[in-house]
Amino acid sequence: MINLQQSCRTFHQVRRLPQQNFWKTVFEIQGRRDILENAKFADYFSWQPNRSNCPDLESLLEGLIKSIPEPWKARAKKIFAGRNLYGHANAEAWRSGEVGVIEVNYGMTSAAMIYGVLYCNYMLMVHNLGSGIDFFDDDDETLLMILKEVGDAGFEPILVAEAERHNWRSGRHVFAGHELLRNLPKSVNNDSYHELVGSIEEFTLAHELSHHLLGHTEDEYPRSKQNRDYFEKILAKYELRHPAGSLNEDQRDEVQADTLALLMVTGTLTHDMTADRIYRASAGSVIGLTALAHIDDSWVTSNSAGETHPDFVTRYENAVDVISALSRGMPIDENGGHPLGCLAQLSGFVSIILDRWLSEKLEDHAPINVLGFTSWLFERGAELQGELEGLRAARSD
């Protein structure tokens, strides 16, 4: 049986970390006595690990435990979520005997912060394009000039991230080496930004917790068969299917973990689904998967035995299918907002980054331009509007 205390001790021993607040360890390594000895942080740094060595991860894990069926909670409460200081931008689930661990490398946190900034810049660009430009102006030359000037603010950080990505991969860890990847636009609320970063880490934790609950770890959980049966019933309820195609067993496990994570964070498993939770799950999953694919160049992978993860497009389409199925039951809010609209905005963000990758790999592919992206975004918006009108009509019948 997994034991929480043993899992905690083993994680710290294996990763050679002191059993204390992760952030205290970070500042000790950096020699930041000014922060460590500041009286206003004393209570924070004295915090001791329980379910995690990081207060942020512990809070997220506690929330995930509340969002799973009661019979699953006994196992989830015994799993330790450890943040590791060194390593690549990834996370993993491992179990052996009494030890059950979810490990999140600091590179993943760093990537979440960087791509959170990129998304905030992207959303600011979309807002400026939508509110500050007369798209019915007959002067095409003036319109193109304005679009380029306004759009560069959103595109430049993504181009910087593309250049930095090679350093991240060679160094096996991620960090914001450029000012544009560290600084939020002045108009962005810090709390909203941290919520966005938290949503990426929440999806990451939920994905790894799903591996434990579905029996994907080397030492399989005895209850995993019952868990998988319940999981399949939820899929059937929402008419969700596992992705078709020639995925190998490991890749199928990864997609299943993505799906269960989305059902978890949206509140679907405990019949507590809300639009706000779907918005959060959408951003956390799509931006998180985009960050990993961009850093690792894993937009396209093979299905050979050696490949443990499916390509980005497979995982992205699965996430969109799950979120769309859950969203269609949500009412349209008083401002006309709906989770399907959030998905449209996220897909625009993904298209820019994916386009940068294509422009490197394919000789005849020109990098995206502001006008081309804007046209696509408005076309997708029109499609979304059609879907929303369909929902409105269905509800009025």
Side-chain angles (χ1 to χ4, degrees):
M1 294 290 291
I2 287 180
N3 179 281
L4 179 60
Q5 287 71 36
Q6 182 60 38
S7 299
C8 175
R9 287 194 297 271
T10 301
F11 169 79
H12 286 92
Q13 290 169 359
V14 170
R15 298 306 175 206
R16 298 181 181 180
L17 292 170
Q19 197 165 316
Q20 62 182 16
N21 185 330
F22 172 83
W23 300 114
K24 182 180 180 182
T25 303
V26 171
F27 288 120
E28 285 176 346
I29 291 173
Q30 293 176 347
R32 294 298 303 273
R33 305 310 308 174
D34 57 322
I35 296 177
L36 292 167
E37 295 172 2
N38 191 320
K40 70 179 182 179
F41 300 134
D43 289 341
Y44 181 74
F45 287 132
S46 65
W47 177 91
Q48 290 296 311
N50 179 31
R51 300 194 193 285
S52 175
N53 63 340
C54 171
D56 311 307
L57 292 186
E58 178 151 317
S59 176
L60 290 173
L61 185 56
E62 292 281 1
L64 291 174
I65 292 172
K66 292 177 182 177
S67 66
I68 59 177
E70 198 65 37
W72 298 13
K73 292 182 180 179
R75 168 51 54 101
K77 288 179 179 179
K78 296 177 181 178
I79 294 171
F80 183 79
R83 197 189 289 283
N84 184 14
L85 183 58
Y86 305 104
H88 192 40
N90 63 13
E92 62 179 309
W94 45 281
R95 186 203 168 193
S96 178
E98 296 184 358
V99 175
V101 171
I102 294 171
E103 182 172 346
V104 179
N105 286 327
Y106 183 60
M108 185 67 235
T109 305
S110 179
M113 295 171 70
I114 291 168
Y115 283 79
V117 170
L118 293 183
Y119 186 67
C120 288
N121 275 284
Y122 158 80
M123 287 303 297
L124 180 62
M125 177 184 71
V126 170
H127 173 76
N128 289 337
L129 287 173
S131 62
I133 298 175
D134 179 9
F135 287 96
F136 298 99
D137 192 329
D138 292 332
D139 187 348
D140 290 341
E141 186 175 340
T142 301
L143 180 59
L144 281 168
M145 181 181 68
I146 295 173
L147 282 171
K148 187 177 188 310
E149 181 178 344
V150 174
D152 279 348
F155 281 98
E156 188 179 357
I158 293 174
L159 300 181
V160 169
E162 175 67 19
E164 292 281 336
R165 183 177 60 83
H166 301 290
N167 294 330
W168 297 339
R169 295 191 70 198
S170 62
R172 300 297 296 169
H173 57 266
V174 181
F175 61 93
H178 192 285
E179 184 178 353
L180 279 174
L181 305 181
R182 294 195 302 269
N183 295 340
L184 281 172
K186 293 180 180 179
S187 60
V188 175
N189 180 279
N190 275 316
D191 290 340
S192 298
Y193 166 70
H194 290 299
E195 282 293 315
L196 176 59
V197 174
S199 73
I200 297 171
E201 295 213 300
E202 181 180 47
F203 173 73
T204 301
L205 274 179
H207 174 94
E208 301 305 335
L209 179 58
S210 296
H211 279 313
H212 278 286
L213 295 173
L214 293 174
H216 296 163
T217 54
E218 186 173 338
D219 194 354
E220 184 175 340
Y221 174 34
R223 255 196 64 89
S224 57
K225 174 62 168 62
Q226 293 97 310
N227 292 356
R228 289 195 294 269
D229 289 343
Y230 181 81
F231 174 50
E232 293 294 336
K233 289 179 181 178
I234 297 294
L235 294 183
K237 177 181 177 179
Y238 289 95
E239 299 182 344
L240 292 167
R241 296 177 177 83
H242 298 297
S246 56
L247 300 180
N248 62 46
E249 184 176 357
D250 287 336
Q251 292 172 327
R252 287 195 295 271
D253 286 350
E254 292 299 328
V255 177
Q256 286 182 10
D258 282 349
T259 300
L260 183 55
L262 289 167
L263 297 176
M264 196 183 298
V265 298
T266 55
T268 305
L269 295 175
T270 52
H271 312 291
D272 191 29
M273 180 171 54
T274 65
D276 284 344
R277 294 181 76 166
I278 295 177
Y279 282 126
R280 181 178 172 89
S282 300
S285 59
V286 172
I287 298 175
L289 291 173
T290 301
L292 289 175
H294 194 208
I295 291 167
D296 290 337
D297 250 357
S298 58
W299 302 107
V300 179
T301 58
S302 71
N303 297 326
S304 62
E307 288 287 354
T308 59
H309 289 66
D311 60 45
F312 167 80
V313 173
T314 297
R315 299 181 74 177
Y316 169 74
E317 288 184 344
N318 177 67
V320 169
D321 287 346
V322 173
I323 295 166
S324 296
L326 302 180
S327 297
R328 292 192 180 99
M330 287 286 126
I332 298 163
D333 68 29
E334 58 185 13
N335 297 316
H338 192 272
L340 290 176
C342 177
L343 277 181
Q345 292 173 338
L346 287 163
S347 64
F349 175 69
V350 172
S351 72
I352 297 175
I353 295 179
L354 181 55
D355 195 276
R356 296 308 309 170
W357 183 82
L358 286 172
S359 68
E360 277 198 341
K361 302 298 180 183
L362 304 178
E363 292 182 2
D364 59 348
H365 182 84
I368 198 167
N369 60 66
V370 179
L371 185 61
F373 163 65
T374 304
S375 298
W376 176 88
L377 184 62
F378 288 150
E379 287 174 6
R380 184 63 186 89
E383 293 174 9
L384 172 65
Q385 189 62 32
E387 291 185 52
L388 294 182
E389 290 301 331
L391 288 175
R392 290 192 181 101
R395 289 178 184 280
S396 62
D397 291 341

